[in-house]
Amino acid sequence: MLNDLLLPMFDDDYYPQILVAEIKQYIVDFSKKIQVSVKEESEIYQFANLTLLKINEMKAEFEDLDSSLDDTATDYIAEAMMMVVQNAGYMDIDLEELVARREW
């Protein structure tokens, strides 16, 4: 499942592959944290916030490479994070709350 994260972004030349790979790694790290460390659902949102803070910092890097974290990217990233959460067995997580800290 983790291999399939962000495939549409990898397939789209608009998004720099190196930056998409970095985002994917952040989401893989998020996955590992929730599988090992979560005792309450509220912790998932805390880990998601930390992941999104890292991704938020990448906004300028995308712009430097004539790209952006646009609405489409937002959807792909949110979908990937939700897949990770559901794969860990948490089916009642609110998607909007999960990605509430995004700044893109």
Side-chain angles (χ1 to χ4, degrees):
M1 191 273 311
L2 294 177
N3 290 331
D4 296 336
L5 295 175
L6 304 178
L7 283 179
M9 287 182 77
F10 280 111
D11 290 341
D12 189 334
D13 291 336
Y14 178 69
Y15 304 108
Q17 302 295 296
I18 192 162
L19 298 181
V20 176
E22 189 173 340
I23 292 172
K24 180 179 177 179
Q25 187 58 53
Y26 291 146
I27 296 172
V28 168
D29 293 345
F30 168 66
S31 174
K32 290 175 185 175
K33 287 178 186 174
I34 64 172
Q35 290 182 18
V36 173
S37 302
V38 169
K39 293 172 183 52
E40 297 180 20
E41 285 188 4
S42 62
E43 293 175 301
I44 292 172
Y45 297 114
Q46 292 170 357
F47 289 134
N49 289 341
L50 294 173
T51 301
L52 290 169
L53 289 174
K54 292 176 187 175
I55 296 171
N56 288 342
E57 291 174 1
M58 298 177 68
K59 184 177 178 182
E61 293 177 66
F62 273 85
E63 291 169 357
D64 287 346
L65 296 174
D66 296 324
S67 185
S68 69
L69 288 169
D70 58 9
D71 290 341
T72 303
T74 298
D75 291 344
Y76 292 142
I77 294 167
E79 178 184 293
M81 291 181 73
M82 195 66 167
M83 284 173 45
V84 162
V85 168
Q86 290 177 340
N87 190 56
Y90 297 95
M91 302 301 184
D92 296 327
I93 296 298
D94 180 81
L95 176 62
E96 287 303 315
E97 188 174 348
L98 187 69
V99 295
R101 296 291 301 245
R102 71 183 180 271
E103 295 177 0
W104 21 272

